[in-house]
Amino acid sequence: MTDSVLKNLTRIVAVLTALFTFITGVVNMTAGFANKVTFAVDASRPGEVIGNKVSNANMWSGGSLPGDIFIDPDADPTIFTQYIQIMTATGGSAERDLFKDPYDRSVLNDYDFSPLIGACRKILELGAKPHIKTGAVPLKLTTDPHFGVFGVNVYPPDDYEQYYTYIGEIAKALVAEFGAGEVLTWRFGVLTEYENKDWFMAKSGDPHDSMVAFCKLYDYTVAALQDNIGRDVTVGAHSMTVADGLWDERDFIEHCAKGANYKTGAAGTRICFLNASFYDSRPGEFGDRSLPETVAELRGAAENAGLFGLTYGIDEGRILSGTKGAAAGDLNLRICGFTYQAGYDARLIKQMADNGIDYFSSWGMTTNGHWGGLPTVSYHVARRFFDMAGSARVPVAKRGGYLKDAEVEALAGYDEAGGTLFIMAYNFKNKLDYKVPSAMTFRVSVPQFDGKDVTVTKYVVDDDANFFDEWQEDRLTHGITDDCFVWSPDDPAIDTPTTLNAPWARDLYFGQLREKYRECAKLTPEVSRATVEGGKLTLEATAAPNAVVFFSIAPAESAQ
């Protein structure tokens, strides 16, 4: 075939594709929707188990855990939270160093582990397990410590043996308080974003020196944990990866697989997980690297080095910033309050299911962060997805037409033990002003329910289950301007003083508005009954822009 013929055929295919897309759009618009999609769900072919992708939560420090935690019954993230991550838990500043006097360099054993022990006890009381981030070196273990932008010492210890002793004493204290069997069920991470110079680097600032310093820190930490908790301690490390760091994390991965251990001299070092940060820039603006690409880089490096069976998760992230507040445009919880976040989160969950990513840790899901606040759409998506977690994934085939760059997708799982089929579907486009609804039809094959009456429960996470659109209207009415917020006013953490800090606006919010928002934020199920005939069932739903639809289908006699 000549080049000219091939080019003509390529043009013809392009024209036909464009024509088909146009005709599909016209047909759908005639039906009243620009998106019209049919999903074929086959519950007779269960596959791999869908893990709990919303299992982890972040705390900036152990001090972020209040002594008395009130959990609002309308927004209880402890239902699905299995690990709570304490960031920079063992040092790096006077507030984080586990010494009685962080500044007295003449005494290196005046330990005070009570803040960490108290935080771990509170996490266990909440029904979760601690994920303790070690790494930032205490002030008196480094000569001339240097503080980075996160307010912690970024330099290595002067004496790695002394640091080994420090981490070992922490491990002994935890075992004495909680027992080795319990602590072996926890996770330990070495540093946050270890190749980020704002968290850790050699005193020379040289990339290679910094890589060696971290590998050494990792080896000594792992040895201290293994020697004092047990050889099977769960330990790993958290890289940036979504962006390039001071040095290449693949060098660390290679070191763990084959390198000479700086503490033991043996080949390699125990590593159980490789976690990363993942951030998009702002609502409606993706970053340069996608979530699957971020994790694929880590997994590829690990498997090329001979490391298999590791856990891969996201230890922090979502969306960096929005509209600027008085001091910053950062999103406090790294989520926005708009219903856009519902579709965004559902999309991340499906990407994790599609790409073998174990979890995405959250900075918060309520108007007060993790607990004590009203539910956000992020909470609703996580809570309803959790019902599906643990079920066996079943195939979903899609056909239909939708707008360019729109994503109308579905994930489904069948829980044989509970006798329930779960479906999550979303209508997402990466624009805050996305205005196109989606008509969804689900052709469900459930031969196990043939001839039975089933209870169908449907939840729709959209503006009707979100208080944030009413909040935006009230802000205009009452003159609550962007400069009334420290962080971005696009963030839903309105209860926290670090978000909405204008006293008169907080008085108005708590005094007159908040209880109204409780009603606006409620997610109410629609429950119906149907008969499965010939092993088939058809369901319908309309998803507003960026909305997420959840279905559960169970035999009526066993339905909750």
Side-chain angles (χ1 to χ4, degrees):
M1 184 180 295
T2 66
D3 288 345
S4 61
V5 172
L6 183 59
K7 287 179 180 177
N8 286 333
L9 285 174
T10 301
R11 290 192 189 100
I12 291 169
V13 169
V15 170
L16 289 175
T17 300
L19 182 60
F20 173 78
T21 302
F22 173 74
I23 293 172
T24 302
V26 171
V27 170
N28 288 340
M29 288 297 289
T30 302
F33 296 93
N35 298 327
K36 190 171 185 180
V37 177
T38 298
F39 297 104
V41 181
D42 188 354
S44 69
R45 297 168 55 200
E48 77 280 3
V49 171
I50 300 170
N52 181 10
K53 312 301 183 184
V54 295
S55 61
N56 284 49
N58 298 21
M59 302 301 300
W60 178 239
S61 69
S64 302
L65 283 154
D68 294 318
I69 294 177
F70 167 73
I71 297 174
D72 194 300
D74 291 337
D76 184 1
T78 64
I79 293 169
F80 48 79
T81 301
Q82 295 172 309
Y83 289 91
I84 295 177
Q85 178 186 158
I86 309 175
M87 309 281 282
T88 320
T90 60
S93 67
E95 296 75 25
R96 297 173 188 267
D97 294 354
L98 301 177
F99 293 103
K100 293 175 184 175
D101 185 348
Y103 298 106
D104 185 355
R105 295 178 185 279
S106 68
V107 181
L108 299 181
N109 62 352
D110 59 329
Y111 305 120
D112 180 8
F113 301 133
S114 58
L116 179 61
I117 288 171
C120 292
R121 185 179 295 114
K122 179 59 64 175
I123 289 170
L124 293 173
E125 289 173 1
L126 291 169
K129 300 288 187 181
H131 178 159
I132 298 172
K133 288 286 186 65
T134 69
V137 177
L139 304 184
K140 63 181 174 181
L141 300 186
T142 299
T143 304
D144 298 324
H146 175 70
F147 293 93
V149 298
F150 299 107
V152 298
N153 173 33
V154 301
Y155 283 166
D158 295 337
D159 182 340
Y160 282 91
E161 285 293 342
Q162 181 60 51
Y163 187 76
Y164 164 86
T165 298
Y166 175 65
I167 295 296
E169 292 299 323
I170 292 172
K172 287 178 186 176
L174 294 174
V175 168
E177 184 72 25
F178 302 103
E182 171 61 36
V183 179
L184 282 170
T185 67
W186 302 1
R187 289 177 178 166
F188 292 84
V190 181
L191 264 173
T192 296
E193 296 183 342
Y194 53 77
E195 82 283 36
N196 182 346
K197 64 182 177 60
D198 289 324
W199 279 111
F200 187 80
M201 66 177 177
K203 288 189 176 182
S204 67
D206 179 77
H208 180 266
D209 292 350
S210 299
M211 181 271 291
V212 170
F214 176 70
C215 291
K216 200 169 182 179
L217 189 82
Y218 184 84
D219 291 351
Y220 276 80
T221 300
V222 172
L225 295 173
Q226 287 189 301
D227 291 347
N228 293 284
I229 299 173
R231 306 307 294 173
D232 294 332
V233 65
T234 301
V235 63
H238 167 192
S239 59
M240 279 200 299
T241 304
V242 71
D244 293 333
L246 179 62
W247 51 275
D248 194 329
E249 59 268 59
R250 288 174 293 187
D251 293 336
F252 164 68
I253 294 170
E254 187 76 16
H255 171 78
C256 288
K258 308 172 186 177
N261 189 299
Y262 286 99
K263 172 61 177 170
T264 67
T269 311
R270 179 173 177 80
I271 188 160
C272 307
F273 56 81
L274 287 169
N275 300 335
S277 296
F278 175 77
Y279 284 102
D280 279 313
S281 302
R282 60 185 62 248
E285 185 179 321
F286 289 146
D288 294 334
R289 192 172 293 171
S290 70
L291 174 61
E293 288 169 342
T294 298
V295 174
E297 184 165 323
L298 290 175
R299 193 193 308 271
E303 294 183 353
N304 286 338
L307 296 172
F308 294 91
L310 304 185
T311 294
Y312 294 90
I314 299 299
D315 271 3
E316 61 169 287
R318 269 192 182 78
I319 305 172
L320 272 172
S321 60
T323 304
K324 188 178 182 299
D330 300 38
L331 291 165
N332 189 351
L333 303 181
R334 300 306 195 239
I335 57 175
C336 70
F338 306 108
T339 297
Y340 167 93
Q341 192 71 47
Y344 179 96
D345 283 2
R347 179 178 184 267
L348 286 184
I349 288 169
K350 185 171 186 297
Q351 286 183 343
M352 287 189 278
D354 290 345
N355 294 279
I357 303 170
D358 294 290
Y359 68 84
F360 198 124
S361 193
S362 168
W363 284 109
M365 292 186 179
T366 81
T367 54
N368 196 41
H370 284 297
W371 32 67
L374 303 177
T376 67
V377 290
S378 274
Y379 171 81
H380 287 319
V381 170
R383 176 64 188 89
R384 300 277 55 97
F385 165 76
F386 179 65
D387 290 340
M388 181 188 297
S391 65
R393 188 171 182 177
V394 299
V396 177
K398 178 183 69 175
R399 62 181 176 83
Y402 43 91
L403 291 183
K404 182 177 182 297
D405 298 327
E407 296 182 32
V408 187
E409 300 287 350
L411 176 71
Y414 179 64
D415 176 14
E416 184 175 4
T420 306
L421 174 66
F422 298 97
I423 301 170
M424 177 188 78
Y426 61 87
N427 171 28
F428 176 77
K429 190 171 183 180
N430 198 32
K431 287 189 175 182
L432 280 172
D433 61 353
Y434 181 37
K435 294 183 172 132
V436 180
S438 179
M440 299 176 175
T441 300
F442 301 84
R443 308 286 187 196
V444 183
S445 176
V446 277
Q448 55 269 59
F449 296 165
D450 188 27
K452 295 182 179 179
D453 283 356
V454 292
T455 297
V456 179
T457 304
K458 178 171 75 171
Y459 290 92
V460 181
V461 183
D462 59 12
D463 276 353
D464 288 340
N466 189 5
F467 73 92
F468 206 71
D469 50 334
E470 285 84 4
W471 168 238
Q472 297 309 301
E473 293 173 1
D474 287 340
R475 280 187 57 201
L476 288 174
T477 300
H478 297 287
I480 304 174
T481 53
D482 294 350
D483 59 4
C484 294
F485 301 80
V486 176
W487 302 78
S488 173
D490 298 341
D491 193 289
I494 308 169
D495 288 15
T496 65
T498 54
T499 302
L500 179 64
N501 72 328
W504 68 269
R506 286 181 61 77
D507 289 346
L508 177 66
Y509 170 75
F510 282 105
Q512 298 182 32
L513 301 174
R514 192 175 185 275
E515 283 309 302
K516 177 181 77 171
Y517 299 148
R518 178 181 296 279
E519 292 303 312
C520 297
K522 283 187 175 176
L523 179 62
T524 304
E526 299 175 28
V527 182
S528 60
R529 193 178 180 105
T531 301
V532 178
E533 297 179 355
K536 307 289 183 184
L537 182 68
T538 298
L539 304 172
E540 304 282 350
T542 299
N546 292 315
V548 186
V549 178
F550 292 90
F551 282 104
S552 65
I553 304 104
E557 61 270 21
S558 65
Q560 298 297 315

